[in-house]
């Protein structure tokens, strides 16, 4: 990025005899400007990720809690479950056997695991979006690297058995 400016010097007859000019290099200024634009974009992304994280967290909590409640409502260890099963005339053991046979309890467990993974992504988004400020603190480089790898792993590995590490 350069700007040039010039003019001719003329003799008494009006004939150009010399050219005088300047060439200004704006490369550094443009790089700084590009860096400022990129920083503004990152600030916007951080702000959006914070809002998204909070919006995702609420339904995620409902999903995870509902899966946990399904497991509790099917537990043969809770007296309320046994009483309700007797009251409506079904065997809780038979209901559980059906759910196991149809792999429904496995699906509930997978919902809980997916909810836990999604919650970790939300925490990472919130951590990313927080302003770091000028405060200096002791930190663990291996822990930071592990978190970065875990975030990249969850973002980049969508196939089962994929390990970004």
């Amino acid at each position: 990025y350069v700007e040039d400016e010039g003019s001719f010097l003329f003799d008494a007859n009006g004939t150009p005899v010399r050219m005088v000019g300047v060439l200004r290099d704006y490369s550094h200024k443009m790089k700084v400007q590009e860096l400022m634009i990129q920083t503004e974009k990152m600030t916007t992304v951080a702000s959006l990720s914070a809002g998204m994280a909070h919006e995702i967290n609420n339904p995620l909590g409902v999903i995870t809690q509902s899966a946990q409640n399904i497991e509790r409502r099917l537990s043969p260890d809770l007296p309320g479950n046994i009483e309700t099963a007797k009251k409506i005339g079904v065997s809780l053991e038979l209901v559980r056997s059906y759910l196991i046979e149809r792999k429904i309890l496995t699906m509930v467990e997978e919902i809980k695991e997916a909810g836990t993974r999604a919650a970790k992504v939300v925490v990472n988004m919130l951590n990313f979006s927080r302003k770091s400020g000028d405060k200096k603190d002791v930190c663990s480089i291996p822990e930071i690297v592990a978190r970065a790898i875990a975030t990249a792993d969850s973002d980049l590995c969508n196939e089962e058995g994929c390990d970004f590490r």
Side-chain angles (χ1 to χ4, degrees):
Y1 299 98
V2 293
E3 176 186 10
D4 62 344
E5 185 179 323
S7 59
F8 291 99
L9 295 176
F10 301 93
D11 64 13
N13 297 328
T15 306
V17 291
R18 181 174 285 163
M19 182 177 175
V20 179
V22 66
L23 188 63
R24 292 179 193 94
D25 182 359
Y26 286 109
S27 298
H28 179 70
K29 180 180 178 183
M30 295 306 290
K31 286 180 185 176
V32 169
Q33 186 176 8
E34 288 173 9
L35 182 61
M36 289 172 60
I37 290 169
Q38 188 62 27
T39 301
E40 186 65 32
K41 286 180 184 178
M42 291 303 291
T43 301
T44 302
V45 168
S47 178
L48 287 172
S49 68
M52 285 174 38
H54 286 294
E55 288 298 320
I56 292 169
N57 237 1
N58 292 333
L60 189 57
V62 172
I63 291 167
T64 304
Q65 288 177 346
S66 295
Q68 290 170 346
N69 283 334
I70 290 169
E71 287 180 333
R72 279 195 294 276
R73 297 287 168 93
L74 294 169
S75 172
D77 300 330
L78 297 176
N81 295 344
I82 297 168
E83 289 173 24
T84 303
K86 283 182 184 176
K87 179 180 172 183
I88 61 171
V90 297
S91 161
L92 192 55
E93 290 76 23
L94 285 177
V95 170
R96 284 187 59 78
S97 295
Y98 171 81
L99 295 174
I100 290 168
E101 184 70 26
R102 299 293 296 152
K103 299 190 184 333
I104 294 171
L105 293 181
T106 302
M107 291 179 213
V108 171
E109 184 61 34
E110 289 171 352
I111 291 169
K112 282 177 30 187
E113 289 172 7
T116 301
R117 281 194 317 274
K120 288 178 183 176
V121 170
V122 169
V123 167
N124 286 335
M125 286 172 61
L126 286 171
N127 287 339
F128 172 76
S129 68
R130 290 191 180 105
K131 294 186 186 233
S132 58
D134 294 336
K135 184 181 133 193
K136 294 183 179 177
D137 200 0
V138 176
C139 62
S140 165
I141 300 296
E143 183 181 316
I144 292 170
V145 170
R147 278 191 305 194
I149 290 172
T151 300
D153 191 43
S154 68
D155 288 346
L156 301 176
C157 286
N158 296 327
E159 302 170 8
E160 191 170 322
C162 175
D163 185 7
F164 183 75
R165 294 174 197 269

